[in-house]
Amino acid sequence: MPEMKNPRLFQRPQDLYLASADKISSIVERVQQLSYFFKEPSIDKYYSVIGGLSGLNHLLVIDPKEIVFFDINEDAIPYCNFIIELVKGCESHTDFIESYFLRKVEGSLNENNQEDYLSKPIDEQRLETTLSKLSEESQNVYKQAVLPLVKGEAPLEASNCMRVVPCWNPHHRVPVGGGEATGCDESGKRVPNTNTFFYGYGWLHNKENYNKVKENLASSAVQVK
């Protein structure tokens, strides 16, 4: 069996995914399949890899008594705790995006106009509001892992998240190249590794979906390990 070039790949801080690198259309289809099989949504335990947070979408159709988020990357643990705290502290899917990206969403926000959205200066007052929703540990996670990217600063070394964006075409691949600084987009062009929340789809489709996930995170016994 050939030796791996980097046996610790996906176990380093720079291998952390801040948002999804999956195709949301496939995830939504899987959620629809789950809703067919789980006529009774109440289940005892739900396990999900943290990864790019895609597992949050399954909480739209199941109501677990206990949720276990896990990951091979230790740095994913405090990041997942941060996301859970932020979800619980926000009123809607739009509030979540505004709190994460520190910019007000005016009108519609999608993959076609998000560059204009991200070109706006960050709102320092919104930053204070975001931090007020978080524990001290999660504040540090936000300041160290998220805030530089939200400000548009590229990581100094190759990372699985060279940029994080709110939106992406639901039918297009998300460009990520494991262990490198770039990945191939839908056209095959190499671009900076991108993570996205797919705002407007899945658990961030609307306020109803958001609150369903928020309620599950609040009512279930959640472990992150």
Side-chain angles (χ1 to χ4, degrees):
M1 192 171 176
E3 183 179 354
M4 290 177 63
K5 290 183 178 180
N6 189 345
R8 293 193 66 246
L9 189 62
F10 302 116
Q11 299 181 52
R12 306 167 301 172
Q14 62 265 40
D15 298 328
L16 183 66
Y17 289 90
L18 300 189
S20 183
D22 299 316
K23 187 180 288 187
I24 191 66
S25 58
S26 299
I27 297 169
V28 170
E29 181 181 353
R30 187 164 65 238
V31 169
Q32 292 171 342
Q33 291 171 344
L34 276 178
S35 67
Y36 175 80
F37 288 110
F38 285 88
K39 299 300 184 183
E40 172 52 57
S42 179
I43 63 173
D44 290 330
K45 188 174 289 190
Y46 169 57
Y47 290 89
S48 176
V49 66
I50 298 168
L53 308 171
S54 295
L56 291 176
N57 289 285
H58 299 141
L59 297 177
L60 293 170
V61 293
I62 58 174
D63 298 326
K65 297 176 183 176
E66 184 177 352
I67 300 172
V68 180
F69 292 111
F70 63 94
D71 205 282
I72 193 173
N73 191 331
E74 292 184 7
D75 290 276
I77 309 307
Y79 187 75
C80 183
N81 285 325
F82 150 68
I83 289 292
I84 292 171
E85 288 182 23
L86 191 60
V87 170
K88 290 180 177 180
C90 292
E91 298 298 322
S92 67
H93 63 312
T94 301
D95 186 21
F96 175 86
I97 289 297
E98 291 180 342
S99 298
Y100 192 99
F101 290 95
L102 307 179
R103 297 164 173 93
K104 183 174 179 56
V105 175
E106 297 176 326
S108 64
L109 175 62
N110 53 55
E111 64 271 19
N112 296 318
N113 62 19
Q114 70 175 351
E115 293 301 329
D116 290 337
Y117 172 75
L118 294 173
S119 69
K120 298 176 182 178
I122 66 168
D123 184 335
E124 295 292 343
Q125 185 174 355
R126 171 66 75 169
L127 173 58
E128 294 304 314
T129 301
T130 294
L131 295 177
S132 71
K133 303 173 193 262
L134 306 172
S135 65
E136 183 176 356
E137 181 182 28
S138 291
Q139 287 180 11
N140 291 332
V141 170
Y142 184 79
K143 291 176 182 177
Q144 295 171 16
V146 179
L147 188 55
L149 286 171
V150 165
K151 289 181 175 180
E153 301 171 6
L156 296 177
E157 58 183 328
S159 168
N160 277 338
C161 185
M162 299 296 291
R163 63 172 180 169
V164 61
V165 297
C167 308
W168 202 256
N169 187 309
H171 303 293
H172 287 183
R173 62 170 292 145
V174 184
V176 174
E180 301 179 11
T182 62
C184 292
D185 66 9
E186 189 71 10
S187 66
K189 179 183 177 181
R190 296 200 71 88
V191 297
N193 285 341
T194 302
N195 295 175
T196 175
F197 283 99
F198 282 111
Y199 176 71
Y201 301 92
W203 69 283
L204 291 173
H205 172 56
N206 54 27
K207 187 174 182 179
E208 181 182 2
N209 280 15
Y210 182 85
N211 283 333
K212 169 65 174 173
V213 171
K214 179 180 176 179
E215 289 166 7
N216 264 323
L217 291 175
S219 62
S220 303
V222 179
Q223 295 185 56
V224 185
K225 62 184 182 181

